[in-house]
Amino acid sequence: MKWLLKLGGLGAGVLMLVAAGASIGCEWWVARAAKGRCFDEAGLVPETPVAVVLGASPRLADGRPNLFFLARMEAAAALFKAGRVKALIVSGDNGTRGYDEPTEMKTALVRLGVPHQRVVCDFAGFRTLDSAVRAKEVFGQDRVVFVSQRFHNERAIYLARSAGMDAHGFNARDVPVAAAPRTFLREKLASVKAVLDVTVLKTRPRFLGGKVAVPLE
């Protein structure tokens, strides 16, 4: 690295090019794993026992409604009502007092007409990796449909398939980049982290715990 420091600004430029190349390569790798597995119409989603709705808070830190949250809940409810899945796992962060994504998600889904007994909360879905692996190892699912925006579904499918699962995605409607620039920038880094987690770090979920049954009848 000393030679990069000696190059000054040129060295910084080289590092930026390397980082950009790594990001593009990881995005391609993740998208490749999900090719042909993400759907925009509920009727095209393969019938699967369970869908995993990936976590989001209903409101942003400044109090504004979270557009990602509403789109995901509406998509999950539509998928259930179309009969493509029999139950939903709402997987999100409940790591601090007063912050409970899964309960907020379940409440929204029940309001949208999903029977409460068909919605199971995963309170330890701190990261997409946790949500994917826990769906298999805690909730006993080898086949799942992820519900989120397409960029998120692709990453979840990559992680799930790396864990030996058969996974597809149902795409919630997109949010304009201008409305959430930080989210889209963060996703660039998340793709790199996902590939590193699978290929180098062999990352495991923060928590596992006992088995949880998902009601399908």
Side-chain angles (χ1 to χ4, degrees), residues 138-175:
V138 174
F139 295 91
Q141 305 302 311
D142 290 315
R143 298 174 57 231
V144 297
V145 177
F146 291 105
V147 181
S148 188
Q149 280 69 29
R150 185 183 184 94
F151 67 84
H152 198 183
N153 281 336
E154 289 181 340
R155 181 157 51 88
I157 290 169
Y158 166 76
L159 291 165
R161 295 190 72 194
S162 297
M165 302 168 68
D166 182 15
H168 294 85
F170 180 46
N171 302 326
R173 69 176 183 278
D174 283 328
V175 174

Side-chain angles (χ1 to χ4, degrees), residues 52-57 89-95 99-103 105 120-127 130-131 134:
V52 177
V53 190
L54 296 173
S57 174
I89 298 172
V90 288
S91 182
D93 188 347
N94 180 216
Y99 188 82
D100 186 350
E101 288 180 352
T103 297
M105 295 162 73
V120 178
C121 291
D122 173 12
F123 294 104
F126 301 112
R127 297 177 48 201
D130 297 60
S131 297
R134 283 175 55 81

Side-chain angles (χ1 to χ4, degrees), residues 50-65:
V50 173
V52 177
V53 190
L54 296 173
S57 174
R59 294 197 172 274
L60 303 175
D62 61 8
R64 289 180 297 153

Side-chain angles (χ1 to χ4, degrees), residues 12-33:
V14 171
L15 286 175
M16 290 179 66
L17 285 174
V18 170
S23 176
I24 292 170
C26 289
E27 283 186 275
W28 175 85
W29 194 259
V30 167
R32 179 174 176 267

